Amino acid sequence: MIATPFPNQPPPYEGCNLYASDVALGDAVGHYDAAWAAAQLAAWGATLGAPQTWALADAANRNAPTLRSFDPGGERIDEVAFHPAWHDLMRLATASGEHCAPWRSPRSGAQVARAAMYYLHAQVENGTQCPLTMTYASIPVLARHAGELPQVADPWLPRVMALDYDPRVLPVDAKRSALIGMGMTERQGGSDVRANITHAAPDGDGAWRVSGHKWFFSAPQCDAHLVLAQTSAGLGCFLMPRVRPDGTRNAIRILRLKDKLGNRSNASSEVEFADALAWPIGAAGRGIATILEMVQYTRLDCVIGSAGIVRAAAARALHHARHRTTFGRRLVDHPLMAHVLADLALESEAALWLALGLAHACEADADAPTRAAARIVTPAAKYWVCKRAIAATAEAMEALGGNGYVEENPLPRFYREAPVNSIWEGSGNIVCLDVARATRKEPDAVDALLAALAQAGGANAAFDRHCAALEGALRCADDDPAANRRIAQAVALAVAAAALIRHAPDFVADAYCASRLASDGYAGAAFGTLQSGVATRRILERALAD
Ligand SMILES: Cc1cc2nc3c(=O)[nH]c(=O)nc-3n(C[C@H](O)[C@H](O)[C@H](O)COP(=O)(O)OP(=O)(O)OC[C@H]3O[C@@H](n4cnc5c(N)ncnc54)[C@H](O)[C@@H]3O)c2cc1C
């Protein structure tokens, strides 16, 4: 008879309060004026960490959505059928306000509180975050242009800001709530949207007709998408409803769903528009500028979401190592494994401060220099944190040994998920080119960034050297596109290190600076190459509170 529970298998991580166990998150939330949200975040952390929520996440990803092109009578319906777990997760998330809270209830710290909600959600399930992000990011764009068209202001804004989930396929004014997606990428180009060939023409009464296609069109079940299309004045941005006001379906044909590496709970599609009804958002010819406001917020969510994935991976690995014994010692007590785990914990805390710092820069009451610096830091952080999530999930998986590779724990899912944040909304090279563009064209942003970094100066020699070299690179008049990844990485590391120096314990900041900014040849190498003497025990105690 074999004794149960089996010896040396760690207890479930499920049941852990994802907020209460994260000391650094509580610190960052407090520092960025969102302490008023602590009780709500603790409740959200308990809900997300509960075994039943993990089970929903698992079910939603094992049972990918399917396309239903026709009803039984042969009528085109272009619907996507989701597993009930998807709807349950969407219900939970929309009730929490992840898709709208800072716009619905603006106050100091509202963006940071919402970012913390999103960060916690990212640690459990990521597919559902796609329509939540796009809705969140669309609201400022809709609000800015609401006065221009009555079709936009009244039916849409109150519904995208409702704390409700209503998946019914109905005209917007018959619904309790609405979700918004975005359609930019076409077959011939995603990064270079100026190559879009989908076109739009006015149709009277403020309405336009759009014809063409989109090669990636995520969450096609959304109630509307912000879509780019060519007009006689250049690219325009349009709000394209799924259902026309008269209740008939708009001419959006879903051709097929993408068979994706990860993000499998979510539907991403290819679509064609056949004279689809849409309303212009902003001036015709100003489409890129209009949608760029949305992209600023979707990029923010890529950073927060990836930071959440790094956290999920690091916490799972540490939990496992605290409970698994090899060669007579707990894994966490083996010096080499402690270095791997501490390195992951440092990456996680750095990503957290970067993400919440960017959310802080989006607050309605953020000062001008903070906003200016974010124009450089947002693309740099999107580049760096999304890339690090790919490496961190692989390393965390290995810390669990063979169990890490098995689908019964979520690490394989996070590993598959991680690259998408790096690809969409500006792939790696594109965001690095954006860092360079902002640096070249916006000297006030460079000044603001360097002034912010200077506030952390004098405490760490490696940091000071790094910032001096970075200043030289940022102020260099020569544009060498081949160097842009180096600069984006240097910006992200500097901003993360500055936040750790100013707000985290010294043992965290010192270890981060020594491992990431020193020039001993190991910076950016595999995890686990921290210098000897690093305070691994204290770093790990902080990383996951019991
Ligand atoms: C799961 C998923 C969901 C998506 N959902 C949506 C959606 O809802 N709506 C939407 O509009 N799009 C969506 N996308 C598309 C995504 O935004 C694009 O794939 C992305 O912008 C890249 O465009 P592309 O695929 O055309 O690649 P390309 O533009 O061809 O780029 C290919 C590679 O070349 C690099 N590159 C391009 N130009 C340069 C340059 N000048 N210098 C150096 N390198 C360069 C890019 O960084 C990239 O690595 C989604 C993608 C995925 C994977």
Side-chain angles (χ1 to χ4, degrees), residues 182 184-185 189-191 216 218 260 420 423-425 427 429-430:
M182 67 200 297
M184 299 189 286
T185 306
S191 307
F216 276 91
S218 285
K260 296 176 288 185
V420 73
I423 293 174
W424 90 302
E425 294 304 90
S427 306
N429 287 351
I430 296 300

Side-chain angles (χ1 to χ4, degrees), residues 49-116:
Q52 51 274 34
T53 313
W54 285 104
L56 291 176
D58 186 63
N61 281 277
R62 282 180 194 269
N63 300 281
T66 51
L67 177 61
R68 290 182 60 225
S69 302
F70 301 97
D71 73 6
E75 282 296 325
R76 260 210 105 107
I77 52 171
D78 296 285
E79 287 192 5
V80 183
F82 288 89
H83 188 270
W86 166 273
H87 296 297
D88 289 346
L89 289 166
M90 287 300 296
R91 226 166 266 124
L92 280 175
T94 49
S96 83
E98 249 181 80
H99 62 301
C100 69
W103 318 121
R104 179 188 159 97
S105 312
R107 63 178 287 189
S108 192
Q111 290 284 358
V112 170
R114 179 264 168 194

Side-chain angles (χ1 to χ4, degrees), residues 77-456:
I77 52 171
D78 296 285
E79 287 192 5
V80 183
F82 288 89
H83 188 270
W86 166 273
H87 296 297
D88 289 346
L89 289 166
M90 287 300 296
R91 226 166 266 124
L92 280 175
T94 49
S96 83
E98 249 181 80
H99 62 301
C100 69
W103 318 121
R104 179 188 159 97
S105 312
R107 63 178 287 189
S108 192
Q111 290 284 358
V112 170
R114 179 264 168 194
M117 306 280 282
Y118 191 90
Y119 175 75
L120 292 168
H121 184 162
Q123 294 173 40
V124 181
E125 211 287 316
N126 308 101
T128 39
Q129 297 198 287
C130 175
L132 298 167
T133 283
M134 293 193 291
T135 302
Y136 157 73
S138 73
I139 293 175
V141 180
L142 294 179
R144 184 179 301 283
H145 298 284
E148 296 162 15
L149 265 184
Q151 291 91 329
V152 172
D154 179 31
W156 290 97
L157 274 175
R159 285 168 183 81
V160 292
M161 289 199 272
L163 301 184
D164 202 349
Y165 176 60
D166 183 353
R168 294 173 301 161
V169 187
L170 292 173
V172 66
D173 49 13
K175 295 194 57 163
R176 300 189 307 272
S177 65
L179 294 169
I180 307 275
M182 67 200 297
M184 299 189 286
T185 306
E186 299 187 1
R187 277 186 201 90
Q188 69 284 356
S191 307
D192 185 3
V193 292
R194 291 167 308 176
N196 272 197
I197 52 175
T198 293
H199 56 90
D203 195 34
D205 234 9
W208 288 53
R209 297 282 159 190
V210 179
S211 293
H213 79 284
K214 293 293 164 187
W215 182 236
F216 276 91
F217 196 73
S218 285
Q221 75 279 7
C222 283
D223 299 283
H225 283 71
L226 288 184
V227 168
L228 289 182
Q230 297 288 356
T231 72
S232 56
L235 266 184
C237 178
F238 295 87
L239 179 74
M240 182 182 284
R242 186 175 176 206
V243 179
R244 298 187 191 96
D246 66 5
T248 58
R249 291 182 192 222
N250 205 1
I252 305 168
R253 310 276 180 250
I254 304 178
L255 303 182
R256 59 175 172 165
L257 300 187
K258 298 285 193 187
D259 185 6
K260 296 176 288 185
L261 168 70
N263 198 255
R264 294 189 69 85
S265 65
N266 180 35
S268 299
S269 65
E270 295 165 21
V271 290
E272 271 179 7
F273 310 133
D275 269 346
L277 167 73
W279 298 287
I281 303 291
R286 297 279 304 152
I288 295 180
T290 303
I291 212 153
L292 273 183
E293 183 171 8
M294 183 170 179
V295 169
Q296 172 199 340
Y297 293 105
T298 53
R299 284 184 178 179
L300 168 68
D301 273 7
C302 289
V303 179
I304 306 168
S306 292
I309 290 175
V310 175
R311 166 71 191 170
R316 280 265 171 184
L318 179 52
H319 171 80
H320 182 87
R322 280 179 178 163
H323 296 279
R324 177 83 168 176
T325 299
T326 68
F327 302 99
R329 275 169 149 185
R330 291 185 314 156
L331 270 178
V332 71
D333 295 328
H334 288 283
L336 189 50
M337 179 57 93
H339 268 216
V340 172
L341 297 167
D343 212 353
L344 285 169
L346 293 174
E347 197 68 39
S348 174
E349 179 156 357
L352 165 71
W353 282 100
L354 259 176
L356 265 57
L358 283 176
H360 173 65
C362 295
E363 300 288 5
D365 57 2
D367 58 35
T370 304
R371 285 170 182 274
R375 293 201 290 275
I376 296 176
V377 182
T378 302
K382 160 121 175 26
Y383 168 67
W384 185 242
V385 177
C386 298
K387 282 270 179 275
R388 295 304 282 165
I390 300 169
T393 48
E395 194 65 63
M397 190 185 281
E398 191 168 321
L400 270 70
N403 286 2
Y405 200 68
V406 172
E407 295 283 349
E408 276 151 349
N409 88 78
L411 277 171
R413 177 156 59 78
F414 290 128
Y415 178 71
R416 287 192 300 270
E417 184 69 34
V420 73
N421 279 341
S422 195
I423 293 174
W424 90 302
E425 294 304 90
S427 306
N429 287 351
I430 296 300
V431 282
C432 291
L433 290 167
D434 283 349
V435 171
R437 195 170 302 115
T439 303
R440 249 192 347 268
K441 294 198 168 161
E442 303 186 43
D444 64 317
V446 174
D447 292 345
L449 172 59
L450 293 172
L453 294 176
Q455 290 180 33

Side-chain angles (χ1 to χ4, degrees), residues 469-497:
L470 178 61
E471 175 164 10
L474 292 176
R475 296 208 189 278
C476 175
D478 299 338
D479 178 28
D480 174 10
N484 288 343
R485 281 197 178 210
R486 291 174 66 90
I487 293 175
Q489 174 177 332
V491 168
L493 288 175
V495 176

